[in-house]
């Protein structure tokens, strides 16, 4: 990685995504701030620039094909390529989510953003990532998506969550398939869990700060060329699938 590295962080106008963008910007990278809310996105860009980061706004709704295609075109035009993609945008769908009562639409919405959105953005950015000397893809997952932890008695995995947790399990499976398909490339693809952070995603009930939550993504985004590929990590190391 070098100071000319170009990154895109989805859902970067607030919370963990903003802190990921700030951390990568502090390295001297050029950072695309992806977000669908125009006002929040441009406020985040202005704040990052005021702190010295080389940031630019990327209008991006991960659930919309045309928006994602336009975002790829914008990055190509403004930055000339892409080295690192951090798929951070996500939703919980609201609680409670017990499987006997959750609405099918709640599950559908979570999968559309948390899984299909990752697929949509990743595929749109892949042509640029393939041209990079040290391409990285970081998918922001969660330990609640770990089937091992979900089936371990006494493990702390939060409330029953038929939409959010299941979508993160689905994301793990999708990540594994990307790793298999792109095994003959230089792209390192890993999943990172930020921990239970205080963000509006959970009503600010988390016990970690967004800045703390961003550290795993920053670490995976800056892996050396011989770094791990196809892993699931948090600040403490490997998370079981």
């Amino acid at each position: 990685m070098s100071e000319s590295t170009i990154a895109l962080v989805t859902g970067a106008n607030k919370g963990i995504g903003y802190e990921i963008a700030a951390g990568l910007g502090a390295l001297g990278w050029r950072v695309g701030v992806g977000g669908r809310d125009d006002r929040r996105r441009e406020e985040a860009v202005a704040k990052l620039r005021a702190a010295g980061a080389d940031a630019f706004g990327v209008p991006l709704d991960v659930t919309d094909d045309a928006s994602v295609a336009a975002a790829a075109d914008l990055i190509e035009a403004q930055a000339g390529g892409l080295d690192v993609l951090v798929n951070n945008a996500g939703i919980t769908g609201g609680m409670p989510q017990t499987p006997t009562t959750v609405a099918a639409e709640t599950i559908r919405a979570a999968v559309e953003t948390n899984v299909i959105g990752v697929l949509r953005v990743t595929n749109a950015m892949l042509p640029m990532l393939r041209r990079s000397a040290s391409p990285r893809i970081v998918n922001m997952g969660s330990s609640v998506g770990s089937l091992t932890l979900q089936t371990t008695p006494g493990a702390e995995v939060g409330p029953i969550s038929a939409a959010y947790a299941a979508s993160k399990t689905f994301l793990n499976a999708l990540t594994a398939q990307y790793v298999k398909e792109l095994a003959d490339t230089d792209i390192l693809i890993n999943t990172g869990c930020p921990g239970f952070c205080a963000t509006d995603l959970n009503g600010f009930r988390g016990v970690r700060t967004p800045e703390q939550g961003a550290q795993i993504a920053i670490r995976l985004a800056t892996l050396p060329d011989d770094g791990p590929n196809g892993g699931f990590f948090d600040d403490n190391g490997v998370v079981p699938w």
Side-chain angles (χ1 to χ4, degrees):
M1 296 295 181
S2 69
E3 290 190 358
S4 61
T5 300
I6 301 159
L8 170 65
V9 183
T10 68
N13 60 282
K14 59 183 178 178
I16 296 170
Y18 175 85
E19 296 298 342
I20 295 170
L24 298 178
L27 298 175
W29 293 14
R30 190 168 191 201
V31 182
V33 178
R36 61 184 178 179
D37 185 298
D38 292 341
R39 180 183 61 82
R40 287 180 176 176
R41 183 184 63 250
E42 294 314 310
E43 286 178 351
V45 169
K47 186 178 177 182
L48 289 166
R49 287 177 177 170
D54 183 3
F56 63 100
V58 181
L60 179 58
D61 180 348
V62 303
T63 69
D64 182 82
D65 288 338
S67 174
V68 173
D73 289 343
L74 184 151
I75 293 168
E76 183 73 76
Q78 287 206 11
L82 186 68
D83 302 293
V84 174
L85 169 62
V86 181
N87 286 306
N88 167 76
I91 63 171
T92 63
M95 295 292 177
Q97 289 182 2
T98 52
T100 57
T101 62
V102 68
E105 182 53 39
T106 299
I107 296 177
R108 187 175 294 113
V111 170
E112 182 65 45
T113 297
N114 300 349
V115 184
I116 300 174
V118 170
L119 179 84
R120 188 179 283 118
V121 173
T122 300
N123 289 350
M125 304 302 161
L126 265 176
M128 289 184 285
L129 290 167
R130 287 180 182 274
R131 301 199 312 261
S132 170
S134 298
R136 307 284 181 266
I137 298 174
V138 181
N139 293 335
M140 291 301 282
S142 172
S143 59
V144 304
S146 165
L147 291 177
T148 298
L149 295 178
Q150 285 283 355
T151 55
T152 298
E156 179 52 56
V157 288
I160 297 172
S161 174
Y164 179 70
S167 75
K168 291 302 185 179
T169 305
F170 194 166
L171 177 60
N172 284 347
L174 177 65
T175 302
Q177 298 307 307
Y178 269 116
V179 172
K180 291 170 65 176
E181 181 181 358
L182 300 175
D184 61 347
T185 75
D186 295 327
I187 303 174
L188 298 184
I189 310 170
N190 292 285
T191 299
C193 172
F196 189 34
C197 300
T199 68
D200 60 1
L201 196 74
N202 55 46
F204 298 95
R205 291 179 292 106
V207 297
R208 288 164 57 85
T209 67
E211 185 176 9
Q212 289 173 318
Q215 296 311 303
I216 185 61
I218 294 169
R219 180 162 71 86
L220 295 174
T222 57
L223 287 173
D225 290 342
D226 61 352
N229 185 37
F232 186 11
F233 303 95
D234 63 14
D235 286 350
N236 295 317
V238 175
V239 179
W241 293 111

